[in-house]
Amino acid sequence: MSANELRQADKTHLWHPFTQMRDWCAVGHDPLVLVEGRGSMLVDAAGREYLDGNSSIWTNIHGHSHPHIVQAIQKQAAKLAHSSFLGLTNEPAIRLAEKLVALFPLGTLSRVFYSDDGSTAIEVALKMAVQFHQLTGHPERCHFAAFEHAYHGDSSGAASLGGIAAFNDRFASLSFPVVRVADLTELEALEPRTVQSLAGIVIEPLMQGAGGMRTWPTGLLRDLRDWCDRNNVFLILDEVMTGFGRTGKMFACQQEDVIPDFLALAKGLSGGTMPLAATLTTERVFAAFLGDYAEMKTLFYGHSYCGNPLGCAAALASLEVFAAERTLENLQPKIQQMRVLLDELGGETHVGAVRQCGFMAGIDVARADGSPYPWQEETGARICLAARRHGLLTRPIRDTLVLMPPLCFDSGQLADAVGALRTAIREICGEN
Ligand SMILES: *Cc1c(COP(=O)(O)O)cnc(C)c1O
C-alpha cells in the first residue's frame, strides 16, 4: 500500500488514543506514517528522518532497532513466543525476575509479578495491598491516597488514582474514592481515621509526567517513606515513566535511597520494544498470601500475556545493553548538556518555566507577559507540529512541551532537538 492508501484506510477504520478524531480525519491532515526506527531516529514513509524527542511516548531507552535487543527478540520468537504463566513458567521470565530483584538491596524487593502495561502494573499493586490488609486483620484499610495531578494509567482502577480532571471527571461514576492530597503537609494533616482507612499511597517519584512534567521537592520521597512507616501505609511507587535511567539513576527511588513496598515498572522495561510490565514487592507482602488453598488467600489476578517470553527476552537484553554500553555513566554529561541548553531556551520570550529531572524535561510556553495561552488554542500541539517540520517528533501536555529523548541521544542530537523546539516556538508564538 502507498502512504496515501495507508492514510486513507487509517482514517476509515482506526480510532487513535487521546485523539480528537474529527481533526485526525480532516481532509487537510496527513498523519505521519512511520516505517522504520534507527537509534534515536524515526523514518516516515517518504524517507524523512525525525529525532524521537519523546522516546515514542516515554518507552524507548537505547534507541530503535538496537541490534542486541532485536536479536534477543528474534531468537526468542523462533523458540517460544508465548505460553501461559498460569500454572506454567518459562526461562526468560525467570531470568528477568532474578535480574530485576538484583537491582535492589538484598531482601528488599524480592518478588516480581508480570503484566502488560503501566496501568496493569498499578492495578495489581492496588489489589495486593488491599488483600494484604484483609489477610492480616485490617480489612478497614481498603482506600488509597494519591496526589493532585497524578497519572497512573487509564484502566478504571488506575484512573481512579489520577488527579487530572480532563481525563477522569467524566468517569467519576466508575471510579473508586481516593484521598486526594497536594503535598506532604496535606497528608500529615489527614484525620487519624482517614489514615487508618488507607491501604497505600501512590506517587510518581521525583517527577509527575502526564500531569505536566512537575518536579517534586528534593527529600519528599524520603519523608513520604517515613510517613508510610509511621502509619503502616504501603508506599506504592509508580516508576512507569521514571524507571530505567530517565532520572539519571536506574530508578528514581534510588535518588533518595527509598525502597517502596510496591514498585510499578512498564514503559522502558523492555527497552521500549514490547508491552511488558512488572510489579515488584517484598517478601513480607508475599508471605501473607501463603496458606492452604481452602483458606482462599490466593491472589486471583492475572492476564493472558503475563510473563510473556518475548517481552522478557527483550527486557533482559535491554538490561544487558545498560551494562555493555555503560548507559547510565554516559548519560551524566548529557544531563548536564540538557541543563545548559534548556537554560538558554528559558530565555526565549514565550518560554515560561522549564522543569528538568535527569534526562526528562517539561517546557511551559506562555505569552510574553507570562500568562498562559487559552488551552483551546492548542498552542503546545501547534508548536510540536511545527517542530516536526524541523525534524523533531514530540507531543505536548497542553502547553507544556515534553523533551524526553532515548538515553542514546548524542550531544549533537540533543542540541538539534532543543534547536527545533526553539525555532518552532518562534514560528508559532512570534519572536517577541
Ligand atoms: C504511562 C504511565 C502509566 C500508564 O502506563 P500504560 O502502559 O500507558 O498503561 C502509568 N503511570 C505513569 C507514571 C505513566 O507515565
Side-chain angles (χ1 to χ4, degrees), residues 156-217:
S156 296
S160 298
L161 301 168
I164 305 173
F167 299 170
N168 298 334
D169 282 2
R170 189 178 296 283
F171 302 112
S173 67
L174 299 180
S175 301
F176 55 70
V178 163
V179 176
R180 181 79 51 204
V181 290
D183 52 26
L184 202 67
T185 312
E186 282 194 24
L187 188 65
E188 277 168 345
L190 291 177
E191 299 279 337
R193 239 193 29 209
T194 306
V195 174
Q196 282 153 20
S197 78
L198 293 179
I201 180 160
V202 190
I203 187 171
E204 296 153 87
L206 267 62
M207 182 181 241
Q208 292 182 320
M213 306 299 284
R214 295 161 183 267
T215 44
W216 289 115

Short mmCIF file of all heavy atoms in Angstrom, two decimals, residues 156-217:
data_model
loop_
_atom_site.label_atom_id
_atom_site.label_comp_id
_atom_site.label_asym_id
_atom_site.label_seq_id
_atom_site.Cartn_x
_atom_site.Cartn_y
_atom_site.Cartn_z
N SER A 156 -9.77 1.47 34.79
CA SER A 156 -10.60 2.20 35.76
C SER A 156 -9.96 2.32 37.15
O SER A 156 -10.07 3.37 37.78
CB SER A 156 -11.97 1.53 35.88
OG SER A 156 -12.62 1.63 34.64
N GLY A 157 -9.31 1.27 37.60
CA GLY A 157 -8.68 1.34 38.92
C GLY A 157 -7.54 2.32 38.94
O GLY A 157 -7.46 3.20 39.81
N ALA A 158 -6.65 2.20 37.97
CA ALA A 158 -5.51 3.11 37.89
C ALA A 158 -5.99 4.54 37.66
O ALA A 158 -5.46 5.49 38.24
CB ALA A 158 -4.57 2.67 36.76
N ALA A 159 -7.03 4.69 36.84
CA ALA A 159 -7.55 6.03 36.55
C ALA A 159 -8.19 6.66 37.79
O ALA A 159 -8.18 7.88 37.94
CB ALA A 159 -8.55 5.97 35.41
N SER A 160 -8.73 5.83 38.67
CA SER A 160 -9.31 6.37 39.91
C SER A 160 -8.28 7.17 40.68
O SER A 160 -8.61 8.15 41.35
CB SER A 160 -9.84 5.24 40.79
OG SER A 160 -10.88 4.54 40.14
N LEU A 161 -7.03 6.73 40.62
CA LEU A 161 -5.96 7.41 41.35
C LEU A 161 -5.58 8.72 40.70
O LEU A 161 -4.92 9.56 41.31
CB LEU A 161 -4.72 6.51 41.40
CG LEU A 161 -4.87 5.14 42.04
CD1 LEU A 161 -3.63 4.30 41.74
CD2 LEU A 161 -5.08 5.27 43.54
N GLY A 162 -5.94 8.88 39.43
CA GLY A 162 -5.48 10.01 38.65
C GLY A 162 -6.05 11.32 39.16
O GLY A 162 -7.20 11.39 39.60
N GLY A 163 -5.22 12.36 39.08
CA GLY A 163 -5.65 13.67 39.56
C GLY A 163 -5.75 14.69 38.45
O GLY A 163 -5.54 15.87 38.66
N ILE A 164 -6.05 14.22 37.22
CA ILE A 164 -6.17 15.12 36.08
C ILE A 164 -7.64 15.15 35.67
O ILE A 164 -8.18 14.18 35.14
CB ILE A 164 -5.28 14.64 34.91
CG1 ILE A 164 -3.83 14.48 35.36
CG2 ILE A 164 -5.40 15.62 33.73
CD1 ILE A 164 -2.90 13.87 34.33
N ALA A 165 -8.29 16.29 35.95
CA ALA A 165 -9.74 16.38 35.81
C ALA A 165 -10.19 16.05 34.38
O ALA A 165 -11.18 15.34 34.18
CB ALA A 165 -10.21 17.78 36.20
N ALA A 166 -9.45 16.53 33.37
CA ALA A 166 -9.88 16.36 31.98
C ALA A 166 -10.00 14.88 31.62
O ALA A 166 -10.83 14.51 30.78
CB ALA A 166 -8.90 17.05 31.04
N PHE A 167 -9.18 14.04 32.23
CA PHE A 167 -9.23 12.61 31.90
C PHE A 167 -10.29 11.89 32.73
O PHE A 167 -10.85 10.90 32.28
CB PHE A 167 -7.88 11.93 32.20
CG PHE A 167 -6.70 12.46 31.42
CD1 PHE A 167 -5.41 12.06 31.76
CD2 PHE A 167 -6.86 13.34 30.36
CE1 PHE A 167 -4.31 12.54 31.06
CE2 PHE A 167 -5.77 13.83 29.66
CZ PHE A 167 -4.49 13.42 30.02
N ASN A 168 -10.52 12.34 33.95
CA ASN A 168 -11.23 11.50 34.91
C ASN A 168 -12.66 11.90 35.24
O ASN A 168 -13.48 11.06 35.57
CB ASN A 168 -10.45 11.45 36.23
CG ASN A 168 -9.08 10.82 36.04
OD1 ASN A 168 -8.89 10.03 35.12
ND2 ASN A 168 -8.14 11.18 36.88
N ASP A 169 -12.95 13.20 35.17
CA ASP A 169 -14.23 13.66 35.69
C ASP A 169 -15.42 12.93 35.05
O ASP A 169 -16.37 12.56 35.71
CB ASP A 169 -14.38 15.18 35.48
CG ASP A 169 -13.59 15.95 36.52
OD1 ASP A 169 -12.92 15.30 37.36
OD2 ASP A 169 -13.62 17.19 36.50
N ARG A 170 -15.31 12.71 33.74
CA ARG A 170 -16.40 12.08 33.00
C ARG A 170 -16.71 10.67 33.53
O ARG A 170 -17.82 10.19 33.42
CB ARG A 170 -15.98 12.00 31.54
CG ARG A 170 -17.01 11.58 30.57
CD ARG A 170 -16.44 11.59 29.18
NE ARG A 170 -16.04 12.92 28.73
CZ ARG A 170 -16.90 13.85 28.31
NH1 ARG A 170 -18.18 13.59 28.28
NH2 ARG A 170 -16.46 15.02 27.92
N PHE A 171 -15.69 10.03 34.07
CA PHE A 171 -15.86 8.64 34.51
C PHE A 171 -15.93 8.52 36.03
O PHE A 171 -15.68 7.45 36.58
CB PHE A 171 -14.73 7.77 33.96
CG PHE A 171 -14.64 7.81 32.46
CD1 PHE A 171 -13.57 8.39 31.82
CD2 PHE A 171 -15.66 7.26 31.69
CE1 PHE A 171 -13.49 8.44 30.44
CE2 PHE A 171 -15.61 7.31 30.30
CZ PHE A 171 -14.52 7.90 29.67
N ALA A 172 -16.29 9.63 36.67
CA ALA A 172 -16.32 9.62 38.14
C ALA A 172 -17.20 8.48 38.66
O ALA A 172 -16.90 7.87 39.68
CB ALA A 172 -16.81 10.97 38.65
N SER A 173 -18.26 8.16 37.92
CA SER A 173 -19.18 7.12 38.40
C SER A 173 -18.53 5.74 38.39
O SER A 173 -19.01 4.81 39.03
CB SER A 173 -20.44 7.09 37.53
OG SER A 173 -20.12 6.65 36.23
N LEU A 174 -17.45 5.59 37.64
CA LEU A 174 -16.76 4.29 37.57
C LEU A 174 -15.57 4.23 38.50
O LEU A 174 -14.88 3.22 38.56
CB LEU A 174 -16.24 4.03 36.14
CG LEU A 174 -17.24 3.97 35.01
CD1 LEU A 174 -16.51 3.71 33.69
CD2 LEU A 174 -18.23 2.86 35.26
N SER A 175 -15.30 5.34 39.19
CA SER A 175 -14.06 5.42 39.95
C SER A 175 -14.30 5.10 41.41
O SER A 175 -15.36 5.39 41.95
CB SER A 175 -13.50 6.84 39.87
OG SER A 175 -13.26 7.17 38.53
N PHE A 176 -13.30 4.51 42.05
CA PHE A 176 -13.40 4.37 43.50
C PHE A 176 -12.89 5.65 44.15
O PHE A 176 -12.11 6.39 43.57
CB PHE A 176 -12.70 3.11 44.01
CG PHE A 176 -11.26 2.95 43.64
CD1 PHE A 176 -10.28 3.78 44.20
CD2 PHE A 176 -10.85 1.95 42.77
CE1 PHE A 176 -8.95 3.62 43.89
CE2 PHE A 176 -9.51 1.78 42.45
CZ PHE A 176 -8.57 2.62 43.01
N PRO A 177 -13.38 5.94 45.37
CA PRO A 177 -12.98 7.19 46.01
C PRO A 177 -11.51 7.15 46.43
O PRO A 177 -11.01 6.10 46.85
CB PRO A 177 -13.89 7.27 47.25
CG PRO A 177 -14.39 5.90 47.47
CD PRO A 177 -14.33 5.15 46.18
N VAL A 178 -10.83 8.27 46.26
CA VAL A 178 -9.41 8.37 46.59
C VAL A 178 -9.20 9.57 47.51
O VAL A 178 -9.85 10.60 47.35
CB VAL A 178 -8.59 8.52 45.29
CG1 VAL A 178 -7.18 9.03 45.56
CG2 VAL A 178 -8.53 7.20 44.54
N VAL A 179 -8.34 9.39 48.49
CA VAL A 179 -7.98 10.51 49.36
C VAL A 179 -6.94 11.33 48.60
O VAL A 179 -5.83 10.87 48.36
CB VAL A 179 -7.40 10.00 50.70
CG1 VAL A 179 -6.94 11.18 51.56
CG2 VAL A 179 -8.42 9.14 51.42
N ARG A 180 -7.35 12.54 48.21
CA ARG A 180 -6.50 13.34 47.31
C ARG A 180 -5.71 14.36 48.12
O ARG A 180 -6.28 15.09 48.92
CB ARG A 180 -7.40 14.07 46.30
CG ARG A 180 -6.69 14.91 45.28
CD ARG A 180 -6.10 14.11 44.15
NE ARG A 180 -7.05 13.20 43.54
CZ ARG A 180 -6.69 12.11 42.87
NH1 ARG A 180 -5.42 11.81 42.71
NH2 ARG A 180 -7.60 11.32 42.35
N VAL A 181 -4.40 14.38 47.95
CA VAL A 181 -3.58 15.36 48.67
C VAL A 181 -2.68 16.09 47.67
O VAL A 181 -2.32 15.56 46.62
CB VAL A 181 -2.71 14.70 49.77
CG1 VAL A 181 -3.58 14.21 50.92
CG2 VAL A 181 -1.86 13.57 49.21
N ALA A 182 -2.34 17.33 48.03
CA ALA A 182 -1.48 18.13 47.16
C ALA A 182 -0.01 17.89 47.49
O ALA A 182 0.84 17.89 46.60
CB ALA A 182 -1.79 19.61 47.32
N ASP A 183 0.27 17.67 48.75
CA ASP A 183 1.67 17.57 49.19
C ASP A 183 1.74 16.89 50.55
O ASP A 183 0.72 16.44 51.09
CB ASP A 183 2.30 18.97 49.25
CG ASP A 183 1.46 19.92 50.07
OD1 ASP A 183 0.72 19.46 50.97
OD2 ASP A 183 1.51 21.14 49.80
N LEU A 184 2.93 16.86 51.10
CA LEU A 184 3.16 16.19 52.37
C LEU A 184 2.41 16.86 53.51
O LEU A 184 1.90 16.19 54.42
CB LEU A 184 4.67 16.18 52.66
CG LEU A 184 5.13 15.11 53.63
CD1 LEU A 184 4.96 13.73 53.04
CD2 LEU A 184 6.59 15.35 54.00
N THR A 185 2.34 18.18 53.46
CA THR A 185 1.65 18.93 54.52
C THR A 185 0.19 18.48 54.61
O THR A 185 -0.34 18.22 55.69
CB THR A 185 1.72 20.44 54.22
OG1 THR A 185 3.07 20.76 53.91
CG2 THR A 185 1.25 21.25 55.41
N GLU A 186 -0.46 18.36 53.45
CA GLU A 186 -1.85 17.92 53.46
C GLU A 186 -1.98 16.48 53.93
O GLU A 186 -2.94 16.11 54.59
CB GLU A 186 -2.46 18.06 52.05
CG GLU A 186 -2.83 19.49 51.73
CD GLU A 186 -3.72 19.60 50.50
OE1 GLU A 186 -4.42 18.62 50.14
OE2 GLU A 186 -3.71 20.68 49.90
N LEU A 187 -0.99 15.67 53.58
CA LEU A 187 -1.02 14.28 54.01
C LEU A 187 -0.92 14.21 55.53
O LEU A 187 -1.66 13.47 56.19
CB LEU A 187 0.15 13.53 53.36
CG LEU A 187 0.19 12.02 53.53
CD1 LEU A 187 -0.99 11.37 52.83
CD2 LEU A 187 1.50 11.45 53.00
N GLU A 188 -0.01 14.99 56.08
CA GLU A 188 0.18 14.96 57.53
C GLU A 188 -1.01 15.53 58.29
O GLU A 188 -1.19 15.23 59.46
CB GLU A 188 1.48 15.70 57.89
CG GLU A 188 2.67 14.77 57.71
CD GLU A 188 4.03 15.46 57.76
OE1 GLU A 188 4.08 16.69 57.65
OE2 GLU A 188 5.02 14.73 57.90
N ALA A 189 -1.82 16.32 57.60
CA ALA A 189 -2.97 16.93 58.26
C ALA A 189 -4.21 16.03 58.21
O ALA A 189 -5.27 16.39 58.74
CB ALA A 189 -3.28 18.28 57.60
N LEU A 190 -4.11 14.85 57.57
CA LEU A 190 -5.30 13.99 57.47
C LEU A 190 -5.73 13.52 58.86
O LEU A 190 -4.90 13.30 59.74
CB LEU A 190 -4.98 12.77 56.60
CG LEU A 190 -4.77 12.99 55.10
CD1 LEU A 190 -4.40 11.66 54.43
CD2 LEU A 190 -6.00 13.60 54.44
N GLU A 191 -7.03 13.35 59.02
CA GLU A 191 -7.58 12.80 60.26
C GLU A 191 -7.03 11.40 60.48
O GLU A 191 -6.93 10.63 59.52
CB GLU A 191 -9.12 12.65 60.12
CG GLU A 191 -9.86 13.92 59.88
CD GLU A 191 -10.08 14.71 61.17
OE1 GLU A 191 -10.05 14.06 62.24
OE2 GLU A 191 -10.24 15.93 61.09
N PRO A 192 -6.75 11.03 61.74
CA PRO A 192 -6.29 9.67 62.03
C PRO A 192 -7.23 8.61 61.44
O PRO A 192 -6.79 7.59 60.92
CB PRO A 192 -6.28 9.60 63.55
CG PRO A 192 -6.15 11.02 64.00
CD PRO A 192 -6.77 11.88 62.95
N ARG A 193 -8.53 8.90 61.50
CA ARG A 193 -9.49 7.92 60.97
C ARG A 193 -9.28 7.68 59.48
O ARG A 193 -9.40 6.57 58.98
CB ARG A 193 -10.92 8.44 61.21
CG ARG A 193 -11.74 7.49 62.05
CD ARG A 193 -13.22 7.81 62.03
NE ARG A 193 -13.66 8.46 60.79
CZ ARG A 193 -14.69 9.29 60.74
NH1 ARG A 193 -15.37 9.59 61.82
NH2 ARG A 193 -15.05 9.82 59.58
N THR A 194 -8.98 8.76 58.77
CA THR A 194 -8.73 8.64 57.33
C THR A 194 -7.45 7.84 57.08
O THR A 194 -7.42 6.94 56.24
CB THR A 194 -8.61 10.04 56.69
OG1 THR A 194 -9.77 10.79 57.03
CG2 THR A 194 -8.46 9.95 55.19
N VAL A 195 -6.41 8.17 57.83
CA VAL A 195 -5.13 7.48 57.66
C VAL A 195 -5.30 5.98 57.92
O VAL A 195 -4.76 5.14 57.19
CB VAL A 195 -4.05 8.08 58.59
CG1 VAL A 195 -2.77 7.27 58.53
CG2 VAL A 195 -3.79 9.54 58.23
N GLN A 196 -6.11 5.65 58.93
CA GLN A 196 -6.29 4.24 59.28
C GLN A 196 -7.15 3.49 58.25
O GLN A 196 -7.26 2.26 58.32
CB GLN A 196 -6.91 4.12 60.67
CG GLN A 196 -5.86 4.35 61.76
CD GLN A 196 -6.44 4.87 63.05
OE1 GLN A 196 -7.65 4.73 63.30
NE2 GLN A 196 -5.60 5.49 63.87
N SER A 197 -7.74 4.22 57.30
CA SER A 197 -8.50 3.55 56.25
C SER A 197 -7.66 3.31 55.00
O SER A 197 -8.15 2.78 54.01
CB SER A 197 -9.72 4.41 55.89
OG SER A 197 -9.32 5.49 55.06
N LEU A 198 -6.40 3.74 55.06
CA LEU A 198 -5.56 3.66 53.85
C LEU A 198 -4.82 2.33 53.75
O LEU A 198 -4.16 1.90 54.71
CB LEU A 198 -4.53 4.80 53.84
CG LEU A 198 -5.07 6.22 53.68
CD1 LEU A 198 -3.93 7.23 53.72
CD2 LEU A 198 -5.87 6.36 52.38
N ALA A 199 -4.91 1.72 52.57
CA ALA A 199 -4.07 0.56 52.28
C ALA A 199 -2.71 1.04 51.78
O ALA A 199 -1.68 0.42 52.08
CB ALA A 199 -4.73 -0.32 51.22
N GLY A 200 -2.70 2.13 51.02
CA GLY A 200 -1.43 2.60 50.46
C GLY A 200 -1.55 3.99 49.91
O GLY A 200 -2.65 4.54 49.78
N ILE A 201 -0.39 4.56 49.60
CA ILE A 201 -0.34 5.85 48.91
C ILE A 201 0.51 5.67 47.66
O ILE A 201 1.53 4.98 47.68
CB ILE A 201 0.17 6.99 49.81
CG1 ILE A 201 0.19 8.32 49.03
CG2 ILE A 201 1.56 6.69 50.40
CD1 ILE A 201 0.22 9.53 49.93
N VAL A 202 0.05 6.27 46.57
CA VAL A 202 0.69 6.06 45.28
C VAL A 202 1.30 7.38 44.81
O VAL A 202 0.66 8.43 44.91
CB VAL A 202 -0.32 5.58 44.22
CG1 VAL A 202 0.38 5.14 42.94
CG2 VAL A 202 -1.17 4.45 44.78
N ILE A 203 2.52 7.31 44.29
CA ILE A 203 3.16 8.54 43.79
C ILE A 203 4.08 8.21 42.62
O ILE A 203 4.67 7.13 42.55
CB ILE A 203 3.95 9.26 44.92
CG1 ILE A 203 4.48 10.63 44.43
CG2 ILE A 203 5.10 8.40 45.44
CD1 ILE A 203 5.07 11.50 45.53
N GLU A 204 4.17 9.16 41.70
CA GLU A 204 5.22 9.13 40.67
C GLU A 204 6.43 9.82 41.30
O GLU A 204 6.40 11.03 41.52
CB GLU A 204 4.77 9.92 39.43
CG GLU A 204 3.57 9.36 38.71
CD GLU A 204 2.79 10.45 37.96
OE1 GLU A 204 3.14 10.74 36.80
OE2 GLU A 204 1.84 11.02 38.54
N PRO A 205 7.49 9.10 41.62
CA PRO A 205 8.60 9.70 42.36
C PRO A 205 9.39 10.71 41.52
O PRO A 205 9.56 10.52 40.31
CB PRO A 205 9.48 8.50 42.73
CG PRO A 205 9.14 7.45 41.73
CD PRO A 205 7.72 7.67 41.34
N LEU A 206 9.83 11.76 42.17
CA LEU A 206 10.67 12.83 41.60
C LEU A 206 9.96 13.72 40.59
O LEU A 206 10.06 14.93 40.64
CB LEU A 206 11.98 12.28 40.97
CG LEU A 206 13.18 12.27 41.92
CD1 LEU A 206 12.94 11.35 43.11
CD2 LEU A 206 14.45 11.86 41.20
N MET A 207 9.24 13.11 39.65
CA MET A 207 8.56 13.93 38.66
C MET A 207 7.24 13.29 38.24
O MET A 207 7.19 12.10 37.92
CB MET A 207 9.45 14.12 37.42
CG MET A 207 8.83 15.01 36.35
SD MET A 207 9.89 15.19 34.90
CE MET A 207 10.17 16.96 34.92
N GLN A 208 6.16 14.10 38.26
CA GLN A 208 4.89 13.65 37.70
C GLN A 208 4.94 13.88 36.20
O GLN A 208 5.36 14.95 35.76
CB GLN A 208 3.74 14.45 38.30
CG GLN A 208 3.49 14.19 39.77
CD GLN A 208 2.29 14.98 40.28
OE1 GLN A 208 2.12 16.14 39.92
NE2 GLN A 208 1.48 14.36 41.13
N GLY A 209 4.50 12.91 35.43
CA GLY A 209 4.60 13.01 33.98
C GLY A 209 3.40 13.67 33.32
O GLY A 209 3.40 14.88 33.07
N ALA A 210 2.36 12.87 33.08
CA ALA A 210 1.23 13.34 32.29
C ALA A 210 0.52 14.53 32.92
O ALA A 210 -0.18 15.28 32.24
CB ALA A 210 0.24 12.19 32.07
N GLY A 211 0.70 14.73 34.23
CA GLY A 211 0.11 15.88 34.90
C GLY A 211 0.81 17.18 34.58
O GLY A 211 0.45 18.23 35.13
N GLY A 212 1.85 17.14 33.75
CA GLY A 212 2.51 18.37 33.32
C GLY A 212 3.99 18.44 33.61
O GLY A 212 4.55 19.53 33.71
N MET A 213 4.64 17.28 33.74
CA MET A 213 6.09 17.25 33.99
C MET A 213 6.43 18.14 35.19
O MET A 213 7.15 19.12 35.10
CB MET A 213 6.88 17.71 32.74
CG MET A 213 6.54 16.95 31.48
SD MET A 213 6.88 15.18 31.58
CE MET A 213 8.67 15.17 31.40
N ARG A 214 5.84 17.76 36.33
CA ARG A 214 6.00 18.55 37.56
C ARG A 214 7.00 17.85 38.46
O ARG A 214 6.84 16.68 38.78
CB ARG A 214 4.67 18.62 38.32
CG ARG A 214 3.58 19.38 37.57
CD ARG A 214 2.22 19.01 38.16
NE ARG A 214 1.17 19.66 37.41
CZ ARG A 214 0.66 20.84 37.73
NH1 ARG A 214 1.07 21.48 38.81
NH2 ARG A 214 -0.29 21.38 36.99
N THR A 215 8.00 18.60 38.90
CA THR A 215 9.01 18.00 39.78
C THR A 215 8.57 18.14 41.24
O THR A 215 7.96 19.13 41.63
CB THR A 215 10.37 18.70 39.60
OG1 THR A 215 10.15 20.11 39.54
CG2 THR A 215 11.03 18.26 38.31
N TRP A 216 8.91 17.13 42.04
CA TRP A 216 8.66 17.17 43.48
C TRP A 216 9.87 17.80 44.18
O TRP A 216 11.00 17.66 43.69
CB TRP A 216 8.46 15.76 44.04
CG TRP A 216 7.18 15.11 43.66
CD1 TRP A 216 7.03 14.00 42.89
CD2 TRP A 216 5.86 15.49 44.06
NE1 TRP A 216 5.71 13.67 42.78
CE2 TRP A 216 4.96 14.57 43.49
CE3 TRP A 216 5.34 16.53 44.85
CZ2 TRP A 216 3.59 14.65 43.68
CZ3 TRP A 216 3.97 16.61 45.04
CH2 TRP A 216 3.11 15.68 44.46
N PRO A 217 9.65 18.42 45.33
CA PRO A 217 10.80 18.94 46.08
C PRO A 217 11.74 17.80 46.50
O PRO A 217 11.29 16.70 46.80
CB PRO A 217 10.16 19.57 47.33
CG PRO A 217 8.70 19.63 47.08
CD PRO A 217 8.37 18.68 45.99
#
